[in-house]
Amino acid sequence: MTTIALPQIIIQSESPVALAVREGLAAHRKSLPAWLFYDAAGSHLFDQITHLPEYYLTRTERAIFAANASEIIEKALQASGLSRLRIAELGAGSADKTRLLLQAAIEFQGTLFYEPLDVSASALHAARQRIEHEIPGVHVLPRVMDYTQGLDFYPAAAGERRMVLYIGSSIGNFEPHQAARILEIVRAGLEPGDTLLLGVDLQKDESTLLAAYDDAAGVTARFNLNMLARLNRELAADFDLEAFAHRAVWNPTESRIEMHLESLVAQRVQIPALDLELSFATGERIHTENSYKYAPGQVEAMLAETGFNPENSWTDERGWFAVWLARAQ
Ligand code: AVI
């Protein structure tokens, strides 16, 4: 009897985490993408960051909404010729500050459809339960989606205008060309007259910025180092967290805070799941995040270039953070 040897097909498929780590750490200048921060432990640490005294961003944006939510909703409806809003939110997460806007919209129109979009189904589920419980009249329609790859909203009903929230300065974590691309994606999902509410952290003195990204209690350091802890957990890597230090640096040329993890000694690290051995020199860094700080004119130019008319903006008394209401042209 003849035996026929069948060709062996080996399918190699790496997870998004494995692919990102291989690409970032095998490079000459080592880096890891900022989305790797947000596993369960990292999301919890980020939540702690938002309550730190030095991290002014969340508190300042919330104060802008607390003072101006009704006016924001009124302006979004104005000039639209339509009488009702439906609100979508990109990267909604816990949707905490959003409540102020949802509450204001309910006061105008009694009921509201709210479509939070996020990559985390569990964060969306929790936000839905909380919001429907806390703000009667809001119907939450969660969508699990990576908005950087494209957008797909539920259709608006007749007489409804859409308002998309992109708040928290999330746009600041993208390179300016990627940020513009995201605004183009949002614009493509809107009808003329719909609006975008964009929250952006502004340029300010270096010491305020450095303190916000290197707090005295060390929470941001733990957030940054959690990225290595995550690789230890998920890829069986052997990063020694004591042998790396958190560094926050202001880059004035690019107008951004950079976060890095600096190797404190010459060392080797194994990542068995990737069959990878890395070597680090003393002082060598892994670049983990950029957080761009914009001037108001730059934001308005980017909005105009991507098909929006920046109609109104609100800021705090120190001019540290600003929120734009921009209408799709
Ligand atoms: C989510 N993002 C707007 C934060 C920021 O300020 O860039 C992430 C962060 N990184 C360190 N602290 C907070």
Side-chain angles (χ1 to χ4, degrees):
M1 193 172 84
T2 350
T3 8
I4 303 167
L6 293 171
Q8 276 200 333
I9 302 169
I10 300 165
I11 301 171
Q12 279 195 320
S13 67
E14 283 196 323
S15 70
V17 172
L19 281 169
V21 172
R22 184 187 294 288
E23 190 184 314
L25 294 187
H28 175 57
R29 291 168 79 89
K30 294 182 177 67
S31 68
L32 288 167
W35 60 261
L36 280 173
F37 285 134
Y38 301 98
D39 64 352
S43 300
H44 183 66
L45 284 164
F46 179 65
D47 190 58
Q48 289 181 18
I49 287 175
T50 65
H51 295 98
L52 291 170
E54 297 95 331
Y55 194 77
Y56 59 86
L57 287 82
T58 313
R59 193 177 320 115
T60 309
E61 189 180 45
R62 181 183 288 111
I64 294 172
F65 291 156
N68 303 291
S70 291
E71 197 191 356
I72 291 170
I73 299 295
E74 199 181 334
K75 298 268 187 217
L77 279 166
Q78 238 176 37
S80 75
L82 297 176
S83 57
R84 291 181 62 80
L85 280 184
R86 57 189 293 138
I87 296 181
E89 179 168 8
L90 308 189
S94 69
D96 187 38
K97 285 163 284 170
T98 313
R99 247 168 281 196
L100 295 162
L101 297 164
L102 301 181
Q103 189 66 56
I106 284 291
E107 277 155 29
F108 270 87
Q109 60 189 51
T111 57
L112 175 77
F113 287 111
Y114 168 57
E115 276 179 73
L117 277 67
D118 203 284
V119 285
S120 162
S122 58
L124 287 170
H125 179 70
R128 176 184 196 166
Q129 292 214 313
R130 238 190 0 260
I131 287 169
E132 290 194 339
H133 176 72
E134 287 175 13
I135 316 178
V138 177
H139 302 289
V140 182
L141 305 168
R143 316 241 12 211
V144 179
M145 203 180 290
D146 176 1
Y147 60 81
T148 62
Q149 304 302 314
L151 276 178
D152 171 31
F153 298 116
Y154 290 112
E160 270 185 337
R161 268 280 168 253
R162 200 183 301 278
M163 176 161 83
V164 174
L165 313 180
Y166 193 30
I167 61 179
S169 203
S170 302
I171 197 157
N173 295 130
F174 293 93
E175 302 297 310
H177 74 275
Q178 294 169 324
R181 179 71 199 122
I182 289 170
L183 296 186
E184 279 169 4
I185 289 172
V186 175
R187 174 62 194 87
L190 298 179
E191 298 294 329
D194 289 345
T195 51
L196 163 69
L197 192 72
L198 182 66
V200 183
D201 194 22
L202 300 179
Q203 292 168 352
K204 60 188 60 62
D205 66 284
E206 182 176 344
S207 59
T208 302
L209 288 168
L210 286 176
Y213 290 85
D214 195 5
D215 59 284
V219 182
T220 310
R222 290 206 289 284
F223 175 70
N224 201 5
L225 284 160
N226 176 60
M227 207 181 275
L228 302 184
R230 178 175 185 176
L231 305 194
N232 288 351
R233 285 190 293 268
E234 293 185 22
L235 302 176
D238 64 354
F239 282 100
D240 174 3
L241 303 197
E242 304 279 304
F244 286 86
H246 166 65
R247 300 279 180 247
V249 181
W250 170 244
N251 179 335
T253 315
E254 301 291 340
S255 191
R256 68 187 188 203
I257 285 280
E258 297 177 2
M259 296 217 309
H260 299 262
L261 290 162
E262 184 176 312
S263 177
L264 298 174
V265 291
Q267 57 183 318
R268 288 184 176 280
V269 175
Q270 311 289 333
I271 311 186
L274 302 184
D275 200 16
L276 197 65
E277 185 188 61
L278 302 166
S279 66
F280 288 89
T282 307
E284 188 175 352
R285 291 176 172 187
I286 306 173
H287 188 165
T288 50
E289 185 182 52
N290 292 319
S291 192
Y292 282 85
K293 309 302 168 187
Y294 284 94
Q298 294 173 316
V299 178
E300 287 170 10
M302 184 159 63
L303 284 165
E305 279 160 20
T306 52
F308 290 97
N309 180 23
E311 283 184 357
N312 301 92
S313 65
W314 294 265
T315 187
D316 54 289
E317 70 273 9
R318 293 179 295 199
W320 280 6
F321 198 98
V323 172
W324 274 265
L325 184 73
R327 202 169 295 276
Q329 310 258 48

